Amino acid sequence: MNRDFSTITASTGIGGVPITGSVTPPLHATDTYEWQSPDEKPAFDYSRTVNPNRSLLLDALCQLEGAAGGAITSSGQSAALLALLSLKAGARIVAPHDCYGGTYRLLAAWAAKASGHVDFVDQRDDAAVATALSDGADLLWIESPSNPLLRLVDIERRAGEARAAGALTLVDNTVATPCRQNPLSLGCDYVLHSTTKAINGHHDLFGGALLSTTPELAEQLEWWCNAAGLAASAFDCWQTLRGLRTLPLRVDSQERTALEIAHFLSSAQSVRNVSYPGLASHPDFELCKHQCSGAGFMLSFEIDGDQSRVNQFVAQLKLVTLAPSLGGFSSLICTPATMTHRGMPPEAQRIAGITPGLLRLSVGLESAEALIDDLRRGLDHA
Ligand SMILES: *Cc1c(COP(=O)(O)O)cnc(C)c1O
């Protein structure tokens, strides 16, 4: 993994702007473009299909992930829908039993409409994955690290098993970010991002991306994105590229703070089950070192006591905000069971290990001292 992330994010689209010489890329807020003649389709013909701001963001993300192409969508969920649209009728998906709640809801509803089949399995269980893949699977859907439990899947190994079984592999790389993990270099076919999260990083828009290493698959994604109208707006792409410029810096800083917080929480009296892949006690610590270039900005934990204690704890926090979403400059905490993973039925939550008291913390750019003070006060007063 030797891509020069900060040079890519700093230089994409800078300079070379015709007429004005504007250093930063202008916002092309237009629904359509002028044609020179009815039978000469210009490179830019209609903004649902193609827009310069969208093309620049796609170019930057493809460079970061080592992709041949793909689509920039209006949300992470529309990128997931795009993945489903590009599958054959009656396709079989093997998905993680502990994936993001919105992914679970979408895949389960897609299967319930008899559009296809989905097996939710524990992807760290070799036998369960092998059984599911042997059932004529078309797509292995991986989320690693998983949201909210920060479990890792050995991507290279699972992608190899999927390929041997005739299935393609997709990795939701939202939690890792392209600066920490590049699934396409590990043998996967698709990489998915909710750019709403760390890539934009500023909590002010929605977006998604689905990219592929294979030009044919990428072309299929572009085709379906245009046909179904899933593409992101010019403004959102312009803003997302602006946010992306500082991604490498933000991830470095947020990750350093997350490790300090993970150590603090691990030694706190009333806290248990701290899950952060950068802690030597994490079951995937070695895999994380091998597969990712860092453990990231997110962690989860439980606190002793009942639900009212959890509620008191979050109510005491002044700096950390109770809200879903992750990866942005501002630290957010949530209870996945009632917030981000509400779309997952209680029984499925129980199987995945998403307990009612589980807390997920996305660490932002505040100082480690200030965040630890806030968490300490919350724990002392809960
Ligand atoms: C948030 C999230 C999504 C969905 O993205 P939206 O932009 O909210 O539609 C998908 N996967 C993961 C891992 C996420 O955290």
Side-chain angles (χ1 to χ4, degrees):
M1 215 188 288
N2 50 10
R3 263 176 219 105
D4 183 350
F5 298 112
S6 41
T7 301
I8 295 169
T9 58
S11 66
T12 299
I14 299 299
V17 173
I19 306 174
T20 60
S22 151
V23 168
T24 58
L27 170 61
H28 292 266
T30 185
D31 62 343
T32 191
Y33 307 85
E34 188 178 0
W35 293 43
Q36 295 309 312
S37 87
D39 45 31
E40 271 177 78
K41 188 171 100 55
F44 291 93
D45 57 341
Y46 189 64
S47 263
R48 171 167 29 77
T49 322
V50 60
N51 175 280
N53 297 106
R54 205 183 298 130
S55 303
L56 274 182
L57 177 58
L58 177 65
D59 178 39
L61 293 179
C62 283
Q63 287 187 63
L64 294 175
E65 287 287 18
I72 302 294
T73 59
S74 58
S75 67
Q77 286 311 98
S78 53
L81 178 62
L82 179 59
L84 299 181
L85 286 176
S86 60
L87 290 172
K88 70 173 196 224
R92 301 192 78 94
I93 299 181
V94 179
H97 76 321
D98 57 345
C99 59
Y100 168 64
T103 305
Y104 189 97
R105 177 172 54 201
L106 177 65
L107 295 183
W110 171 81
K113 278 184 52 163
S115 313
H117 303 269
V118 61
D119 279 327
F120 291 105
V121 302
D122 179 350
Q123 295 190 349
R124 301 202 299 182
D125 179 338
D126 292 344
V129 173
T131 307
L133 284 175
S134 69
D135 216 10
D138 296 285
L139 183 68
L140 175 64
W141 188 300
I142 294 175
E143 186 180 301
S144 181
S146 67
N147 173 4
L149 290 162
L150 287 313
R151 291 185 184 130
L152 269 66
V153 171
D154 186 334
I155 294 176
E156 193 163 23
R157 179 153 155 232
R158 292 289 181 241
E161 292 164 358
R163 199 175 323 111
L168 298 175
T169 306
L170 176 153
V171 175
D172 184 336
N173 205 27
T174 301
V175 172
T177 84
C179 298
R180 289 292 179 263
Q181 176 172 277
N182 296 120
L184 300 179
S185 359
L186 299 171
C188 300
D189 303 279
Y190 298 107
V191 62
L192 183 146
H193 282 284
S194 164
T195 59
T196 311
K197 312 289 169 56
I199 287 180
N200 178 58
H202 289 71
H203 305 288
D204 51 9
L205 57 77
F206 270 87
L210 185 60
L211 314 174
S212 178
T213 28
T214 318
E216 296 76 52
L217 292 177
E219 204 174 301
Q220 223 181 69
L221 297 177
E222 273 175 47
W223 191 92
W224 275 107
C225 185
N226 177 53
L230 300 176
S233 74
F235 181 74
D236 286 350
C237 294
W238 184 67
Q239 282 281 82
T240 303
L241 180 58
R242 189 178 192 272
L244 178 67
R245 302 219 184 267
T246 55
L247 178 71
L249 285 172
R250 285 186 281 110
V251 171
D252 284 352
S253 170
Q254 289 169 236
E255 184 175 74
R256 271 195 306 274
T257 310
L259 180 62
E260 284 191 50
I261 292 177
H263 283 304
F264 162 73
L265 289 173
S266 301
S267 62
Q269 286 278 315
S270 49
V271 174
R272 48 189 158 78
N273 297 336
V274 178
S275 182
Y276 182 67
L279 286 179
S281 58
H282 191 284
D284 301 320
F285 178 68
E286 290 301 328
L287 176 59
C288 181
K289 279 207 294 197
H290 167 73
Q291 181 163 282
C292 310
S293 56
F297 47 74
M298 202 164 85
L299 51 99
S300 62
F301 59 100
E302 291 174 325
I303 55 177
D304 290 331
D306 58 8
Q307 198 59 39
S308 69
R309 183 128 199 274
V310 173
N311 294 355
Q312 278 167 25
F313 167 69
V314 294
Q316 288 298 327
L317 301 175
K318 293 200 167 77
L319 190 56
V320 179
T321 306
L322 178 67
S325 198
L326 57 95
F329 67 83
S330 181
S331 292
L332 304 180
I333 198 162
C334 75
T335 52
T338 60
M339 296 173 74
T340 54
H341 286 62
R342 220 179 30 223
M344 193 184 257
E347 180 57 12
Q349 286 191 4
R350 197 188 57 74
I351 294 170
I354 300 169
T355 58
L358 182 74
L359 289 156
R360 183 192 81 187
L361 175 65
S362 173
V363 176
L365 291 172
E366 306 89 344
S367 73
E369 300 73 57
L371 288 169
I372 288 171
D373 277 354
D374 201 36
L375 294 167
R376 185 183 289 117
R377 203 196 34 256
L379 289 172
D380 288 350
H381 288 81

